[in-house]
Amino acid sequence: MKISKFLDGAIAADGGTVSCRVALEDGTILEIGLDARIPKTKSEREMFIGVGYPSMTGASSLPRDSLEEREVIDAIRDYLDRNCGFLRREALLETSTKLTSEKDQSDHMATVLLAAILDR
């Protein structure tokens, strides 16, 4: 799996579920997210793919530490390595102002999703 672009994303007010829609190199559009609904603890948070919210029909959970989960995390890291240096990632995570460019928004969602995944 190779991500070419983060198209959009959202953070839900349900405890912090993060969902992003990405374009893959082969042209496929895929939803990727982290289920952080209350009352889940950080250790119970799981990634999901397929739809924009973990309880929607079509959502597939990725078991923690599974090969499938690792593949998605590696794809997000690869996207960031190709598109966004370390200092820029840190700045995007800390920004509270409106991001004006499409690239800034795309990279911001990638950094937010990866940070949420790694923080569990």
Side-chain angles (χ1 to χ4, degrees):
M1 166 190 309
K2 189 166 187 173
I3 298 171
S4 61
K5 186 176 183 179
F6 275 71
L7 301 172
D8 54 38
I11 301 171
D14 65 353
T17 295
V18 180
S19 176
C20 296
R21 197 166 53 102
V22 301
L24 301 180
E25 187 177 58
D26 67 3
T28 304
I29 305 297
L30 180 66
E31 296 271 357
I32 301 171
L34 179 68
D35 182 358
R37 293 174 287 174
I38 295 172
K40 290 182 183 277
T41 63
K42 283 186 177 187
S43 65
E44 295 173 320
R45 295 176 180 177
E46 286 188 336
M47 293 183 65
F48 63 93
I49 60 171
V51 294
Y53 196 73
S55 63
M56 293 174 67
T57 301
S60 296
S61 290
L62 302 178
R64 295 276 306 246
D65 301 318
S66 67
L67 182 60
E68 295 85 1
E69 181 193 60
R70 182 120 7 252
E71 180 183 4
V72 174
I73 293 170
D74 288 347
I76 297 167
R77 282 187 170 138
D78 175 65
Y79 169 84
L80 286 169
D81 289 347
R82 288 182 286 115
N83 292 283
C84 190
F86 174 78
L87 292 177
R88 187 163 189 279
R89 291 181 207 185
E90 293 298 310
L92 287 169
L93 280 174
E94 297 300 322
T95 189
S96 60
T97 59
K98 182 175 178 171
L99 300 169
T100 55
S101 78
E102 185 177 323
K103 176 154 178 44
D104 284 350
Q105 293 170 11
S106 180
D107 292 348
H108 175 72
M109 285 311 305
T111 58
V112 166
L113 179 59
L114 185 60
I117 292 166
L118 297 179
D119 184 45
R120 51 189 183 134

